[in-house]
Amino acid sequence: MNETISTILNHRSIRDFKDKQLSNEQIETIVACAQAASTSSFIQAYSIIGIRDKEKKRKLAEIAGNQEYVAQNGHLFVFCADLSRHERIGEMEGKDVLPSIESTEKFMVALIDAALAAQNAAIAAESMGLGICYIGGIRNNLEAVKELLKTPERVIPLFGMTVGYPERINDQKPRLPLEHVYHEEEYEQDKEVYLRQLQQYDQIISTYYEQRTDGKRKDRWTEQMAKMLEKQTRMYMKEFVQKNKMDLR
């Protein structure tokens, strides 16, 4: 155990921030840490848009399902998959890069690069005593987000990250047991093992909710996931991505 591991293991999503803005130095440090993340073949296929403007935050909060902490925080970052600059590189160097940057492979690279950068940013922020929360809700209406943030073709806003000084720190939700996530040598083949692990985890989560809510909630994880996945959400995504000239080949 060391300070870095302790910071990672103590993560929890913060949804209640003090009315205190991040300094320029804090923002620049968080972005520098994001940029220090690994990137496939040095392609660096992402961009980060910082939001200070209260009105823009309010509009993004509405898009994200009226989540108040998207509007009230120390700073809002929006992480984007970005292959737009690589199109410009092709023009600069006189190379036909379009078949490559329009491929599913490069789209996946951009998604992975952005996620790696974001997690570095999250750990950096938490190591500074700040709290964070990922905001997938901006994908509720990416056309509106695109218009608000003026993102060009080949740029896809993926998620937001609210960062700030915690007003209140939430309880930490128990994650899946290690043996359900980590497989040795090959993927677990025995479905009975999977079912037993899920049932055990259901009991852990049900107990967590019961204790946290004084018995008002006892729902299981599999129950939550099944209800969520039964609903089809953001089904426009493939059309939006391809309209923005990504994941075409």
Side-chain angles (χ1 to χ4, degrees), residues 64-80:
N66 295 310
Q67 299 182 65
E68 184 62 24
Y69 49 93
V70 180
Q72 304 294 332
N73 50 69
H75 200 67
L76 174 61
F77 297 91
V78 177
F79 288 81
C80 305

Side-chain angles (χ1 to χ4, degrees), residues 184-243:
E184 284 276 5
E185 309 301 345
E186 63 180 27
Y187 201 91
E188 176 60 59
Q189 303 296 306
D190 191 337
K191 291 185 179 180
E192 292 302 317
V193 170
Y194 251 99
L195 290 174
R196 185 168 61 252
Q197 289 173 336
L198 286 171
Q199 289 165 352
Q200 291 170 348
Y201 186 54
D202 272 344
Q203 185 57 54
I204 292 170
I205 293 298
S206 182
T207 300
Y208 163 81
Y209 282 125
E210 185 177 15
Q211 292 175 346
R212 183 178 175 182
T213 65
D214 293 326
K216 295 178 182 178
R217 285 183 64 180
K218 296 183 181 180
D219 41 317
R220 297 168 287 109
W221 187 67
T222 56
E223 177 186 2
Q224 281 186 5
M225 293 302 103
K227 286 181 178 178
M228 181 191 73
L229 295 171
E230 187 179 31
K231 300 175 183 177
Q232 297 184 10
T233 59
R234 304 169 189 159
M235 301 302 287
Y236 74 95
M237 199 59 64
K238 182 175 182 179
E239 180 183 356
F240 178 85
V241 168
Q242 293 184 340
K243 180 180 175 182

Side-chain angles (χ1 to χ4, degrees), residues 20-221:
K20 183 178 180 181
Q21 300 303 298
L22 268 60
S23 67
N24 289 336
E25 183 181 8
Q26 287 172 314
I27 293 167
E28 289 169 6
T29 298
I30 290 168
V31 173
C33 289
Q35 289 189 268
S38 297
T39 169
S40 178
S41 300
F42 201 40
I43 196 168
Q44 302 177 84
Y46 65 92
S47 287
I48 307 167
I49 301 174
I51 311 295
R52 301 178 193 263
D53 184 81
K54 291 183 178 180
E55 182 60 19
K56 281 188 177 179
K57 284 185 180 182
R58 185 189 65 77
K59 289 179 179 178
L60 288 168
E62 290 177 0
I63 291 168
N66 295 310
Q67 299 182 65
E68 184 62 24
Y69 49 93
V70 180
Q72 304 294 332
N73 50 69
H75 200 67
L76 174 61
F77 297 91
V78 177
F79 288 81
C80 305
D82 186 354
L83 289 166
S84 177
R85 66 170 62 92
H86 301 84
E87 181 179 8
R88 302 287 84 77
I89 288 169
E91 294 169 356
M92 288 173 61
E93 299 295 330
K95 303 292 184 181
D96 182 11
V97 302
L98 294 187
S100 180
I101 66 175
E102 290 179 353
S103 68
T104 298
E105 163 62 12
K106 289 302 183 288
F107 179 56
M108 291 176 67
V109 164
L111 299 180
I112 294 165
D113 268 15
L116 293 174
Q119 191 57 19
N120 256 30
I123 294 169
E126 290 178 334
S127 76
M128 296 158 65
L130 302 168
I132 73 103
C133 187
Y134 281 94
I135 309 297
I138 69 165
R139 296 194 303 279
N140 291 345
N141 187 348
L142 281 181
E143 288 289 358
V145 174
K146 178 183 174 71
E147 182 178 352
L148 185 66
L149 303 184
K150 307 297 186 222
T151 56
E153 288 182 340
R154 308 193 199 282
V155 175
I156 307 293
L158 299 174
F159 48 82
M161 181 190 293
T162 54
V163 181
Y165 293 87
E167 184 70 64
R168 181 173 55 87
I169 297 178
N170 307 317
D171 294 331
Q172 190 176 47
K173 289 183 180 178
R175 297 305 202 245
L176 283 162
L178 179 143
E179 60 270 17
H180 202 164
V181 173
Y182 177 68
H183 306 253
E184 284 276 5
E185 309 301 345
E186 63 180 27
Y187 201 91
E188 176 60 59
Q189 303 296 306
D190 191 337
K191 291 185 179 180
E192 292 302 317
V193 170
Y194 251 99
L195 290 174
R196 185 168 61 252
Q197 289 173 336
L198 286 171
Q199 289 165 352
Q200 291 170 348
Y201 186 54
D202 272 344
Q203 185 57 54
I204 292 170
I205 293 298
S206 182
T207 300
Y208 163 81
Y209 282 125
E210 185 177 15
Q211 292 175 346
R212 183 178 175 182
T213 65
D214 293 326
K216 295 178 182 178
R217 285 183 64 180
K218 296 183 181 180
D219 41 317
R220 297 168 287 109
W221 187 67

